[in-house]
Amino acid sequence: ATRQMSWGFKKSFKQTAKKNILIAVLDGGIDIEHPDLRPFVYINTKDCFEGNIIPPKDTQDLDNNGYKGDCKGWDFTTKSNRAEDEEGHGTHVAGIIASILKNYSQSIKLLPLKVFAAGEGKKPIKDLPSLSKRLNSAIEYSILQKVDIIHLSAGWPKSYMSRQLEATIKKAQKLGIQFVTASGNSSQRSMVYPCQLEDVLCVGALRPNGDVARFSNWGGQVDVYAPGEKILSTIPVSYTHLRAHETDS
């Protein structure tokens, strides 16, 4: 973004939070071992080995919440305790959040919740639960973990919006959880969910010069626009290793 685009960042961060903040990132997973993200990853110490090590799948459920070994988030696509990022989007999103909050890793944490499978929409994926079920389960889990914010850099059409999912979103809102979601990338009036729902903070994208991005949805459901093009952020460390190997070969 250009320098003239002021978002009140300095003013906002002169204030002190009254409590620790937990942000659930519903996406395609996060590279939890990335050096820039590791300090921000929420650790459920009750279900970790030695306080911070992810145990093997199905070995323990010491907090009795129904999710075995949920030490550092959960993968709702495979129902496992490793929300690993295979495509990079979730890590990129987490990096943006972490870069803004870089001095607040002690009081603000990110909870990785994988709801989108790698290659989804491009190829059939065996035994993949429906998207509405995955989203519903992830929001229920967020409620269970008493998160403060649910960040969802995605949207879906009305056909994916089940009554149960809408009820779960409203349940979370009644408990004080703030949803922050994307307006969508189809360059039209934003009709996606959950942006359509009341009290959901719906965010559109701006170009570096301050114009609305060509791909961004628009309309009355969009509450605010923020920089959304040419954003430098984190990528999974495995990507850098892969590229280095390709260069060597």
Side-chain angles (χ1 to χ4, degrees):
T2 55
R3 289 186 177 273
Q4 68 262 29
M5 292 171 62
S6 172
W7 296 94
F9 174 81
K10 292 181 179 179
K11 183 177 180 180
S12 296
F13 283 89
K14 286 181 180 179
Q15 302 182 35
T16 304
K18 294 181 179 180
K19 54 170 283 188
N20 292 337
I21 303 297
L22 182 57
I23 304 173
V25 181
L26 277 61
D27 212 291
I30 294 176
D31 180 2
I32 61 174
E33 295 302 325
H34 193 290
D36 288 343
L37 303 180
R38 193 183 301 120
F40 284 92
V41 174
Y42 172 74
I43 301 175
N44 177 23
T45 55
K46 292 180 181 179
D47 253 6
C48 300
F49 283 162
E50 299 181 9
N52 64 358
I53 299 173
I54 300 177
K57 182 182 178 181
D58 296 339
T59 55
Q60 61 184 35
D61 184 14
L62 300 181
D63 56 1
N64 297 311
N65 67 357
Y67 295 86
K68 293 184 178 181
D70 60 329
C71 171
K72 300 179 182 179
W74 192 260
D75 182 351
F76 291 90
T77 68
T78 62
K79 299 181 181 179
S80 69
N81 62 342
R82 290 184 176 272
E84 296 179 350
D85 185 5
E86 301 172 74
E87 293 192 315
H89 187 273
T91 299
H92 190 274
V93 167
I96 295 170
I97 298 172
S99 68
I100 295 171
L101 305 174
K102 58 186 177 181
N103 296 322
Y104 297 87
S105 61
Q106 294 300 314
S107 56
I108 301 176
K109 297 295 182 181
L110 306 180
L111 175 62
L113 301 181
K114 185 172 181 176
V115 293
F116 303 117
E120 185 172 356
K122 301 176 183 177
K123 61 182 180 180
I125 301 174
K126 187 179 179 181
D127 299 326
L128 182 66
S130 69
L131 178 59
S132 61
K133 287 183 178 179
R134 281 174 273 151
L135 290 164
N136 189 78
S137 297
I139 295 169
E140 287 280 14
Y141 182 84
S142 298
I143 293 172
L144 189 66
Q145 295 291 2
K146 299 180 179 179
V147 307
D148 300 280
I149 298 169
I150 291 177
H151 184 282
L152 185 57
S153 184
W156 54 88
K158 188 176 182 178
S159 59
Y160 283 59
M161 193 65 185
S162 67
R163 290 184 179 180
Q164 183 181 20
L165 177 55
E166 184 171 353
T168 303
I169 291 173
K170 291 181 178 179
K171 174 184 174 182
Q173 289 177 318
K174 286 182 180 180
L175 293 170
I177 298 174
Q178 174 67 58
F179 282 78
V180 181
T181 70
S183 68
N185 296 338
S186 50
S187 189
Q188 61 184 349
R189 183 180 293 276
S190 182
M191 301 296 287
V192 298
Y193 287 84
C195 275
Q196 288 275 47
L197 300 179
E198 190 174 355
D199 296 326
V200 170
L201 181 60
C202 181
V203 185
L206 293 179
R207 301 183 64 189
N209 66 359
D211 294 340
V212 175
R214 176 187 56 79
F215 58 82
S216 180
N217 286 354
W218 50 275
Q221 292 78 22
V222 184
D223 298 296
V224 64
Y225 286 89
E229 275 191 357
K230 299 181 180 180
I231 305 297
L232 182 66
S233 187
T234 49
I235 61 173
V237 173
S238 60
Y239 281 28
T240 60
H241 293 169
L242 177 63
R243 292 300 176 88
H245 177 73
E246 289 174 347
T247 302
D248 292 341
S249 61

